[in-house]
Amino acid sequence: MSEILIVLFGLTLLWASITNMLGTVIKILVVQGIILFGITLLKTNHINWLSFSLIALETLIFKAILIPWFIDDTIKHNQTRREVDASVSNFFSLALMSLIFVLSFALAASAPVWSLKVFPLEFGIAFATILKGMFVIIANKKLITHLMGYLIMENGIFLLSLSAGSHLPYIVSLGVSLDIMLSVLIAVLFIKRIRSTFDDADSPQTLRER
Amino acid sequence: MRSGIILFLYPLLAIVFTMLLSSRRRIDILVLLHSLLHIGLGIHSYVNRNSLLGIDDLGLFMFLILSVLYCAVAFYRLGYKDEHSVKDYRVHSVFLMIFVMAMDAATIAKDLGVIWIFIEATTIASAMLVNYYNRKSSLEAAWKYLFICSVGIALAFAGILLLVISQPQNPTLLVNRIDVAAISPFWLKISFVFILIGFGTKMGLAPLHFWLPDAHSEAPAPISALLSGALLNVALIPILRVDRLMRNSGLGEVAKELYLLMGFLSVFIAAVFVLKTKDFKRILAYSSIENMGLILIAFGIGSFAHQAAYLHILGHSLVKAAFFLTAGNALFIYEDKNYENLGSLLKINRGSAWLWLISSMMIIGLPPSPLFTSKFFIATALLKEGAYLQFGLLMLLLTVVSWSIVNVGLKICLGDSERKQSLNALLYLSPTALLVLASVIGVFLPSLR
């Protein structure tokens, strides 16, 4: 069952490559959050109420509800144009995503068997998600799209932490939670300040070398 | 253990008191006491090894540099005046102490996961410090800093996860406890690439360097001094800890090639952009990128350049912090950062002008700067390795950056003016003390054998 969810997660990356609308990217983030919730539940052997609450908080509440809602609210508040405004065409984006998949699976497949304690499908999709997030950040001009790219990358890292198995040092699990909560909270605070200072959150200077 | 408790308990209490105070002078004194305690604990830990929560030599080296810079900054702040409300200043001081605490924890910790968490904490605290002036440009700089460093830190975290994956049995993030015989070199190599790019972003290394000129130029002078002189070093710590693991696993050559690649790219970027910019604080920031690149090149060359890298870290921190504080004086006098509009500093404020000229000479590596010795040994090591092309390229790039820094210094300092402006004596004291300390180290510690 978790394999099916992982494949579905991979399909969301292809979906993200062929859309031009910000609203669709928000929907993709919601779907990814729900899938991650499902994968985490299926992979957790001993579930108690505390761990269930933490998983639900990280995946469902943060990733699937709060952050997508916040991004949607920011787009409405700023009356930002609904297009992604990418620097590259959909065809190029899709071709590159396919190449990223090939590279990620090739990497997972080329690892020595004795050292491979991660499932290649999981690793391949997780690695591809991290690279896809980076690509979204690089290939788009809008500040809000940069944030979306970062969130996709964070989802990839979350999936990678799941594929690292159950023998993770505790600090890694703590790191995953902290990373999501702190970075997102601060991003939210800053975007709120940016939108009250700038006329529009699409600051073309942002992330460009001056 | 006791000194560790004091190190973190005092600032926590000071933060609580700061929130209650309504006098800038009292807030400054709390910060100054924190810095004095910091330097006292640093010296105590140097005399009684491992007394500070088992800190190792690498951590202690970075901790002592941070102590000296924090002390200089705390004294400088006593003479630094601006028009902000006490409330803003209070928040700024609280984040300053949190920033220093996070750097302390990252230098003391040996577990990569813990280091990662505290380096992330430094990003959040210092983003608030960068946005102190709350202008459009400083908000943009803080956002750029927060976002790009968050991406870098996320990549570093992916590297840490891959390091866990590289250990099929009993994974640990305490690098010195990792069983080298059982580790997978395949995954370790990929992990190192992520860790180098991730923490390298925080160090201001190319290709993810472009937050640094904005953040260092928009932050208040004391914060720029800490960002450039201390935080960049702290980000180097996890890289050096994993570097040891790479060498023990027989992957030292891979690490060296990556260091040389990123190091040369960073020096190249700095040399190109330093020619383009007119903002004197951005020029100092590009010089930081150049020096971080040079440090990485030194680690990439190996042999005695390895020791020269540590001397370079020390020298760069002291001189660059002094330079940023002096730049703060210049900004106070001119209220403009475009050096083409400025001049006559020798007539307007002789003390700051001499500090600027001496800082310029020392940062480009003229004796008695420790950077003279470190650069000399790095260049010699390159020649000894037979890397003549790299040597030629490095000299050319360093000359470009040095020319730009001297050119700016001469433009700002020379010229005629009737205007005179005096500054608080404390604004000269800190940069002078840092430059004197750097000179003493440059004269008495050049032996790298």
Side-chain angles (χ1 to χ4, degrees):
Chain A
M1 181 63 187
S2 67
E3 285 83 357
I4 296 170
L5 288 178
I6 292 165
V7 172
L8 281 177
F9 191 93
L11 289 176
T12 63
L13 298 178
L14 293 174
W15 187 15
S17 305
I18 54 166
T19 183
N20 278 329
M21 305 306 288
L22 287 175
T24 313
V25 184
I26 295 173
K27 281 181 197 151
I28 290 168
L29 287 173
V30 174
V31 173
Q32 287 190 346
I34 295 167
I35 294 176
L36 285 176
F37 175 70
I39 297 172
T40 318
L41 277 188
L42 288 170
K43 287 182 74 74
T44 310
N45 297 327
H46 306 290
I47 193 101
N48 55 36
W49 275 106
L50 183 67
S51 49
F52 178 81
S53 311
L54 276 175
I55 293 165
L57 184 73
E58 276 179 39
T59 51
L60 278 185
I61 308 293
F62 261 95
K63 286 180 179 291
I65 299 171
L66 273 181
I67 301 305
W69 169 80
F70 165 74
I71 293 174
D72 191 46
D73 182 59
T74 303
I75 292 169
K76 280 180 190 151
H77 181 95
N78 286 30
Q79 295 173 330
T80 309
R81 284 194 310 120
R82 299 302 170 111
E83 284 84 26
V84 171
D85 215 6
S87 309
V88 292
S89 67
N90 280 353
F91 174 76
F92 181 80
S93 182
L94 191 63
L96 193 79
M97 190 63 238
S98 310
L99 188 68
I100 288 173
F101 272 131
V102 172
L103 280 175
S104 304
F105 286 120
L107 189 69
S110 60
V113 178
W114 67 271
S115 70
L116 197 67
K117 65 172 191 174
V118 294
F119 186 40
L121 177 70
E122 263 180 340
F123 179 83
I125 301 276
F127 204 79
T129 313
I130 295 171
L131 295 182
K132 172 68 184 172
M134 286 290 285
F135 176 70
V136 171
I137 293 168
I138 294 164
N140 289 285
K141 295 169 194 159
K142 286 184 174 167
L143 196 147
I144 202 83
T145 331
H146 293 153
L147 184 61
M148 288 171 169
Y150 177 68
L151 292 168
I152 291 175
M153 199 169 98
E154 284 284 337
N155 286 346
I157 290 173
F158 189 88
L159 196 59
L160 186 66
S161 75
L162 292 178
S163 76
S166 56
H167 300 293
L168 284 176
Y170 72 96
I171 206 76
V172 175
S173 315
L174 182 66
V176 173
S177 318
L178 262 181
D179 193 29
I180 294 162
M181 292 180 191
L182 287 181
S183 56
V184 166
L185 275 175
I186 295 302
V188 166
L189 288 177
F190 260 84
I191 287 212
K192 267 196 186 292
R193 292 191 75 170
I194 284 172
R195 79 182 185 187
S196 62
T197 308
F198 291 86
D199 297 334
D200 191 340
D202 318 353
S203 166
Q205 291 281 352
T206 310
L207 304 189
R208 299 275 185 274
E209 183 125 30
R210 281 190 290 175
Chain B
M1 188 68 186
R2 199 171 43 191
S3 50
I5 293 170
I6 296 169
L7 179 68
F8 293 105
L9 190 63
Y10 173 80
L12 287 175
L13 291 174
I15 285 168
V16 174
F17 281 114
T18 302
M19 297 307 286
L20 302 171
L21 291 174
S22 54
S23 148
R24 285 176 72 121
R25 175 62 58 173
R26 286 181 186 164
I27 293 170
D28 282 342
I29 288 170
L30 279 180
V31 173
L32 180 65
L33 286 175
H34 182 205
S35 75
L36 292 173
L37 176 80
H38 202 281
I39 207 164
L41 288 171
I43 293 167
H44 179 260
S45 184
Y46 180 75
V47 176
N48 309 291
R49 287 295 165 100
N50 289 329
S51 63
L52 192 63
L53 299 170
I55 191 169
D56 62 4
D57 289 349
L58 174 64
L60 184 60
F61 176 67
M62 301 300 191
F63 187 90
L64 283 169
I65 293 175
L66 172 59
S67 292
V68 171
L69 299 197
Y70 187 34
C71 206
V73 161
F75 272 105
Y76 186 87
R77 275 165 51 99
L78 290 171
Y80 192 79
K81 294 281 170 281
D82 57 41
E83 289 157 3
H84 278 269
S85 66
V86 178
K87 186 185 157 210
D88 287 345
Y89 196 68
R90 197 188 291 142
V91 173
H92 181 76
S93 304
V94 165
F95 276 107
L96 174 62
M97 284 187 272
I98 295 173
F99 177 47
V100 173
M101 272 167 72
M103 284 197 283
D104 288 343
T107 52
I108 292 170
K110 295 189 201 78
D111 185 301
L112 276 179
V114 177
I115 296 175
W116 177 85
I117 285 173
F118 285 105
I119 288 185
E120 169 141 335
T122 63
T123 308
I124 293 159
S126 52
M128 300 297 181
L129 296 170
V130 169
N131 189 34
Y132 179 57
Y133 292 121
N134 211 10
R135 295 183 294 241
K136 263 190 173 184
S137 55
S138 58
L139 183 60
E140 189 180 325
W143 166 256
K144 204 187 264 191
Y145 170 53
L146 185 75
F147 188 81
I148 297 171
C149 284
S150 294
V151 170
I153 292 289
L155 291 176
F157 189 68
I160 290 172
L161 287 171
L162 289 165
L163 186 64
V164 172
I165 291 172
S166 74
Q167 305 167 66
Q169 278 112 34
N170 305 321
T172 174
L173 291 175
L174 280 163
V175 180
N176 51 354
R177 288 203 194 150
I178 291 177
D179 182 6
V180 177
I183 204 164
S184 157
F186 177 84
W187 291 112
L188 180 60
K189 262 189 273 183
I190 302 172
S191 158
F192 184 72
V193 171
F194 273 81
I195 287 174
L196 181 62
I197 295 175
F199 288 118
T201 302
K202 187 81 182 173
M203 262 181 84
L205 292 171
L208 286 171
H209 63 282
F210 42 97
W211 61 270
L212 191 146
D214 291 69
H216 288 210
S217 122
E218 287 300 326
I223 302 306
S224 304
L226 280 179
L227 286 174
S228 191
L231 183 62
L232 302 184
N233 299 344
V234 171
L236 179 64
I237 293 175
I239 296 174
L240 293 181
R241 294 207 185 282
V242 183
D243 174 76
R244 209 169 291 171
L245 183 65
M246 289 287 284
R247 278 186 280 135
N248 293 342
S249 310
L251 297 172
E253 287 305 312
V254 177
K256 280 181 173 184
E257 280 170 21
L258 288 168
Y259 290 155
L260 288 174
L261 183 70
M262 279 182 82
F264 271 104
L265 186 62
S266 302
V267 178
F268 175 76
I269 294 275
V272 170
F273 280 93
V274 85
L275 288 172
K276 201 178 120 174
T277 184
K278 305 288 176 215
D279 177 331
F280 62 73
K281 280 190 84 182
R282 285 179 81 86
I283 288 174
L284 299 191
Y286 279 114
S287 155
S288 296
I289 296 175
E290 173 227 7
N291 282 288
M292 287 302 118
L294 198 55
I295 288 164
L296 219 59
I297 290 171
F299 282 119
I301 303 166
S303 74
F304 53 84
H306 208 271
Q307 287 135 296
Y310 286 104
L311 185 59
H312 201 87
I313 291 169
L314 177 62
H316 172 254
S317 295
L318 297 174
V319 177
K320 187 53 68 63
F323 212 159
F324 266 117
L325 295 180
T326 306
N329 291 0
L331 192 56
F332 191 79
I333 291 164
Y334 293 117
E335 294 178 354
D336 187 356
K337 289 189 280 187
N338 185 337
Y339 73 84
E340 290 202 324
N341 302 335
L342 316 178
S344 324
L345 190 59
L346 268 167
K347 298 277 181 193
I348 299 169
N349 187 293
R350 187 173 283 269
S352 296
W354 277 110
L355 279 171
W356 191 291
L357 290 172
I358 295 167
S359 300
S360 298
M361 295 302 126
M362 289 186 76
I363 203 73
I364 66 170
L366 292 186
S369 171
L371 300 183
F372 169 75
T373 317
S374 58
K375 282 181 178 174
F376 176 79
F377 279 102
I378 293 168
T380 311
L382 268 176
L383 288 176
K384 214 173 170 185
E385 292 281 313
Y388 300 113
L389 187 66
Q390 289 92 324
F391 171 81
L393 180 65
L394 186 64
M395 289 304 115
L396 179 70
L397 296 173
L398 293 186
T399 307
V400 171
V401 179
S402 301
W403 176 83
S404 298
I405 290 172
V406 172
N407 180 41
V408 173
L410 293 177
K411 267 237 157 75
I412 289 178
C413 292
L414 300 182
D416 209 10
S417 172
E418 294 299 310
R419 187 183 158 201
K420 299 271 177 213
Q421 183 157 355
S422 60
L423 296 174
N424 189 312
L426 287 164
L427 298 181
Y428 307 113
L429 178 71
S430 291
T432 307
L434 290 172
L435 291 175
V436 169
L437 182 60
S439 305
V440 170
I441 291 167
V443 171
F444 292 104
L445 275 180
S447 171
L448 292 174
R449 268 190 279 263

